[in-house]
Amino acid sequence: MRKFFNGFKKLLPLTLFGRFFLIIVVPAIIVQLVASYMFYARHWSTVSQHMAHSLGGEVAFVVNELHDSSEVKYKEIIFKAKEYLGLRIRLDNPVQLAHVDNQSASLQEKYHIQLLSQVLKARFNYPFTIQLVDEQKTVVVSVLLPKSKLIITASSKRLTNSTTYIFIEWVVGVGILTLVISLMFLRTQVRSIRRMAEAADQFGRGLEVGWFIPQGAIEIRKAAEAFLKMKHRIQRMVTQRTELLAGVSHDLRTPLTRITLQLALLEPTFPEAVSSMKQDIKDMEHMIQEYLEFAKGAGEEQPVEVIVRNFIQQIITTYENHPSKIRIEQIPDIHLTIREQSVKRAIVNILDNAVRFGTEVHLSGYLTTTHLHLHIDDNGPGIPLLERINVFKPFYRLEPGRNLNHSGVGLGLAIAKDIVTSHGGTIRMDDSTLGGTRVSLTLPI
């Protein structure tokens, strides 16, 4: 049973619109099928039987009256049958009945012919044939009497039930009308949810969502208002964090500047000690700058549209005089909306690591329907598999000693990951075809 339900779930639509559509359409179809069954099994069948009995009774009455009547009575019966029963009667020579082929008739017409045939067999024992003539919209009953052949013609409406088509048209018409109205309401409700999802996605990528206004049902409006409140709280928290770090950085730089001036006065007397202390001050200033960049992130920069190939080429030009060789391969020539300086900082941080440990670096990319993929490969010593997640953590370094002159304070890759994630992308490390490390960036388009 569980396998059956799991298989059934796989057939369900994945979208909310599709599931809402099924909730409305499936019950409507079931109701119409039940109503159609009740109509055909009860009403239509009963009415058809009554109509066949009515016409069959009239035909049987005429046959029984005319089989041995005189010429005067014959004319009187024909007149009354036409006047009161709507039957046209004529006599023919008593030859063999012609073969009647009703194979081209519809299932409904064959059903009515069968009902009329059963009624006539129960009323008299003379041979007869029944034929529906569509061109004339009549039903013709030919009866072979002992002395003559009786041909009785009546309107096909006396046998067939026209309410069948009316019922079908009503069912189909109401179904289509219900479907159209449901689609209109569903699109309105789903559009509100889709707009909120788009706004959340853009906010997650750092784009402005001032265009978003809560719409739709009360529950959807409440969810949208909660999203906007969360957005304002996150923006306020980021702003407060940036301002706090900026203040701390400013407060720390002031005493460092005073210490630098005092060391300049002491340098003639203690040159070696002062030189060492100046280096420590430079390291502290470098640390403060990286802390500020990590905390600041990209909150103050506005997204702009760039051409990816030109953007990457501008970054590579800054490494022209570097001993390591950087080669560009297959960069897509597309327009992409990003925070330019932030993404540049992320790519530069990755390239700095690549050229620091490798002599050859390849930068390539390709495009899918939804994302831009960039690969930065180097031929360095590589990074152990277990360390590839840790290197993206703030202040984490692979070196056992915290040698600030060699690899900073461990914020380069953390900043890169923060920037890429804020754009709605991903970053990961793999083995490179050059023998070192491959850093893969994915940015939504």
Side-chain angles (χ1 to χ4, degrees), residues 92-156:
D92 201 353
N93 294 327
V95 295
Q96 187 176 1
L97 292 174
H99 176 70
V100 175
D101 185 9
N102 291 314
Q103 296 299 323
S104 60
S106 63
L107 293 177
Q108 179 183 349
E109 292 174 341
K110 291 180 179 180
Y111 176 72
H112 287 103
I113 291 174
Q114 182 181 4
L115 288 178
L116 181 59
S117 178
Q118 292 175 355
V119 173
L120 295 181
K121 287 179 180 179
R123 299 298 177 90
F124 55 77
N125 296 322
Y126 302 114
F128 66 89
T129 60
I130 302 173
Q131 183 179 13
L132 283 174
V133 183
D134 293 334
E135 296 81 3
Q136 303 176 3
K137 296 182 179 181
T138 57
V139 55
V140 180
V141 180
S142 301
V143 183
L144 186 62
L145 299 178
K147 298 180 180 180
S148 62
K149 183 170 69 173
L150 193 62
I151 300 175
I152 304 173
T153 304
S155 173
S156 59

Side-chain angles (χ1 to χ4, degrees), residues 54-326:
S54 175
L55 180 60
E58 295 173 4
V59 171
F61 171 76
V62 172
V63 170
N64 291 327
E65 288 294 322
L66 291 179
H67 77 284
D68 57 354
S69 298
S70 62
E71 184 176 351
V72 176
K73 189 176 181 182
Y74 165 75
K75 292 181 179 180
E76 180 181 356
I77 293 174
I78 290 179
F79 173 77
K80 290 182 178 180
K82 182 178 181 181
E83 185 72 19
Y84 300 110
L85 302 179
L87 303 177
R88 296 191 302 273
I89 305 172
R90 64 183 179 88
L91 289 178
D92 201 353
N93 294 327
V95 295
Q96 187 176 1
L97 292 174
H99 176 70
V100 175
D101 185 9
N102 291 314
Q103 296 299 323
S104 60
S106 63
L107 293 177
Q108 179 183 349
E109 292 174 341
K110 291 180 179 180
Y111 176 72
H112 287 103
I113 291 174
Q114 182 181 4
L115 288 178
L116 181 59
S117 178
Q118 292 175 355
V119 173
L120 295 181
K121 287 179 180 179
R123 299 298 177 90
F124 55 77
N125 296 322
Y126 302 114
F128 66 89
T129 60
I130 302 173
Q131 183 179 13
L132 283 174
V133 183
D134 293 334
E135 296 81 3
Q136 303 176 3
K137 296 182 179 181
T138 57
V139 55
V140 180
V141 180
S142 301
V143 183
L144 186 62
L145 299 178
K147 298 180 180 180
S148 62
K149 183 170 69 173
L150 193 62
I151 300 175
I152 304 173
T153 304
S155 173
S156 59
K157 294 181 179 180
R158 297 285 309 277
L159 186 62
T160 58
N161 187 1
S162 60
T163 57
T164 303
Y165 304 104
I166 298 175
F167 178 79
I168 293 176
E169 292 173 358
W170 176 81
V171 169
V172 174
V174 170
I176 294 176
L177 180 62
T178 303
L179 181 62
V180 171
I181 296 175
S182 301
L183 287 176
M184 292 173 59
F185 281 101
L186 280 178
R187 288 186 62 184
T188 302
Q189 298 303 316
V190 174
R191 187 187 299 117
S192 303
I193 300 176
R194 187 182 295 115
R195 283 171 57 86
M196 185 171 67
E198 292 174 356
D201 179 66
Q202 290 191 15
F203 176 67
R205 291 189 280 121
L207 302 179
E208 182 60 36
V209 292
W211 54 267
F212 178 69
I213 300 175
Q215 294 177 342
I218 295 177
E219 293 80 3
I220 299 176
R221 288 175 180 268
K222 288 183 178 179
E225 291 171 357
F227 161 72
L228 290 177
K229 292 179 181 178
M230 178 191 68
K231 168 181 170 292
H232 295 319
R233 286 195 295 265
I234 293 175
Q235 289 177 333
R236 185 170 62 249
M237 180 186 67
V238 172
T239 302
Q240 290 175 349
R241 185 186 69 168
T242 303
E243 292 176 351
L244 176 63
L245 268 270
V248 171
S249 175
H250 181 270
D251 292 341
L252 288 176
R253 283 174 177 173
T254 301
L256 287 177
T257 303
R258 291 200 301 264
I259 294 174
T260 303
L261 293 175
Q262 293 174 1
L263 290 177
L265 298 176
L266 295 175
E267 188 171 9
T269 307
F270 307 99
E272 295 182 1
V274 170
S275 176
S276 176
M277 294 177 67
K278 280 185 175 182
Q279 184 60 45
D280 291 338
I281 292 175
K282 288 182 180 180
D283 293 339
M284 291 179 67
E285 290 177 343
H286 178 64
M287 291 173 60
I288 292 172
Q289 184 62 33
E290 288 207 11
Y291 294 160
L292 182 59
E293 289 182 356
F294 176 74
K296 185 176 181 180
E300 297 179 358
E301 185 182 358
Q302 295 300 319
V304 295
E305 188 177 90
V306 300
I307 301 177
V308 175
R309 183 178 298 173
N310 298 342
F311 174 68
I312 297 296
Q313 189 65 50
Q314 291 175 0
I315 296 176
I316 299 302
T317 55
T318 61
Y319 293 88
E320 289 180 349
N321 298 324
H322 199 280
S324 298
K325 181 180 178 182
I326 300 180

Side-chain angles (χ1 to χ4, degrees), residues 319 322-327 351-362 377-382 434-437:
Y319 293 88
H322 199 280
S324 298
K325 181 180 178 182
I326 300 180
R327 189 173 67 182
L351 287 175
D352 285 344
N353 283 336
V355 299
R356 180 182 298 134
F357 298 104
T359 59
E360 186 177 359
V361 178
H362 289 182
D377 295 271
D378 64 62
N379 63 345
L434 300 179
T437 302

